[in-house]
């Protein structure tokens, strides 16, 4: 069986409990403590706003990545992130040369509708997204439509793998919520092809 077969979510695999609870707890505590978080500013209608979450970009030397309107030089892999990358690469069977860490401190932190369609990800990128900490809802809608077509609850230790044309046909978001929720980390592993 291949990792991906037919269904609207055919290009998406959600694997709750991909990593055991004790390991997920260890990864969460260490990453919360050791990551040099940043909160980049984005320009919206001529004004600068901090993005509503904290981020960090790690990767192989040269794996520059553009997000929030700026090109980011990667931080070098830590032993822990190298360990997690090796486990994810072994699972998906593809190299992944960078990881974007997102820290959602509480329900006010969020990520708006977008596709991961930056040029440096190539045409049909495989993106492997590990969730640690509080559960948050991950919504999907078709490009050009406002209706949410699918929602997934991304739990502690789950892996979501997006592949193929997901990023052409679909957008995703992690919406703000008024429900109390524990801090959440999301690690999206990507293969970046630096642009000239
Ligand atoms: O936090 C998530 O689950 C989604 C993160 C995401 O979409 C991204 O980093 O591009
Ligand atoms: Mn995304």
């Amino acid at each position: 069986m291949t990792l991906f077969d037919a269904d609207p979510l055919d290009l998406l695999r959600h694997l709750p409990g991909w990593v055991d609870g004790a390991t997920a707890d260890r990864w969460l505590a260490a990453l919360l403590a050791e990551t040099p978080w940043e909160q980049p500013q984005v320009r919206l209608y001529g004004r600068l706003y901090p993005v509503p979450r904290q981020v960090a970009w790690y990767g192989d030397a040269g794996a520059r990545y553009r997000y929030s309107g700026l090109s980011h030089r990667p931080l070098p892999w830590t032993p822990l992130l190298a360990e997690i990358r090796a486990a994810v690469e072994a699972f998906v069977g593809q190299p992944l040369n960078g990881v974007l860490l997102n820290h959602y401190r509480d329900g006010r932190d969020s990520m708006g509708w977008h596709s991961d369609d930056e040029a440096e990800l190539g045409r049909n990128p495989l993106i492997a997204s590990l969730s640690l900490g509080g559960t948050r809802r991950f919504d999907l809608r078709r490009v050009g439509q406002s209706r949410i077509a699918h929602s997934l609850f991304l739990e502690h230790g789950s892996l979501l793998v997006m592949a193929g044309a997901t990023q052409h046909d679909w957008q995703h978001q992690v919406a703000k919520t008024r429900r109390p929720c524990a801090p959440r980390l999301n690690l999206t592993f990507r293969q970046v092809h630096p642009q000239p």
Side-chain angles (χ1 to χ4, degrees):
M1 197 184 86
T2 59
L3 196 54
F4 304 100
D5 47 29
D7 134 7
L9 301 181
D10 56 340
L11 306 168
L12 216 95
R13 278 287 170 274
H14 177 209
L15 301 132
W18 178 76
V19 62
D20 68 88
T23 305
D25 291 350
R26 174 170 69 84
W27 289 353
L28 174 64
L31 291 170
L32 280 173
E34 75 183 25
T35 307
W37 297 108
E38 290 188 358
Q39 202 171 0
Q41 308 249 335
V42 278
R43 188 172 291 281
L44 216 62
Y45 306 113
R47 280 186 57 188
L48 286 174
Y49 297 89
V51 296
R53 61 190 172 276
Q54 294 179 319
V55 301
W57 170 244
Y58 287 84
D60 294 350
R64 293 188 74 93
Y65 189 45
R66 172 167 285 275
Y67 56 86
S68 302
L70 290 174
S71 174
H72 295 261
R73 184 200 298 267
L75 295 163
W77 294 99
T78 62
L80 174 58
L81 286 171
E83 171 194 335
I84 302 175
R85 166 168 76 152
V88 172
E89 281 182 329
F91 183 77
V92 300
Q94 290 198 28
L96 297 162
N97 64 1
V99 62
L100 182 64
L101 274 60
N102 292 300
H103 179 202
Y104 302 82
R105 292 158 292 184
D106 59 29
R108 286 169 295 190
D109 276 353
S110 61
M111 186 171 301
W113 287 113
H114 69 283
S115 303
D116 294 312
D117 55 1
E118 293 85 1
E120 59 264 52
L121 294 178
R123 191 154 163 69
N124 286 321
L126 182 136
I127 295 176
S129 158
L130 172 68
S131 291
L132 300 170
T135 300
R136 294 290 293 264
R137 201 186 73 221
F138 179 91
D139 300 322
L140 288 145
R141 71 179 184 190
R142 286 195 173 275
V143 168
Q145 296 189 2
S146 56
R147 187 179 63 85
I148 294 174
H150 299 280
S151 293
L152 303 168
F153 287 89
L154 300 184
E155 295 165 0
H156 188 46
S158 68
L159 190 72
L160 177 71
V161 186
M162 298 187 267
T166 316
Q167 308 302 336
H168 304 281
D169 302 336
W170 297 87
Q171 290 186 316
H172 51 273
Q173 72 163 359
V174 177
K176 295 185 194 302
T177 173
R178 273 198 266 276
R179 284 168 199 257
C181 54
R184 167 174 186 261
L185 289 189
N186 177 258
L187 284 67
T188 51
F189 289 87
R190 300 151 192 254
Q191 179 71 11
V192 174
H193 311 275
Q195 299 298 291

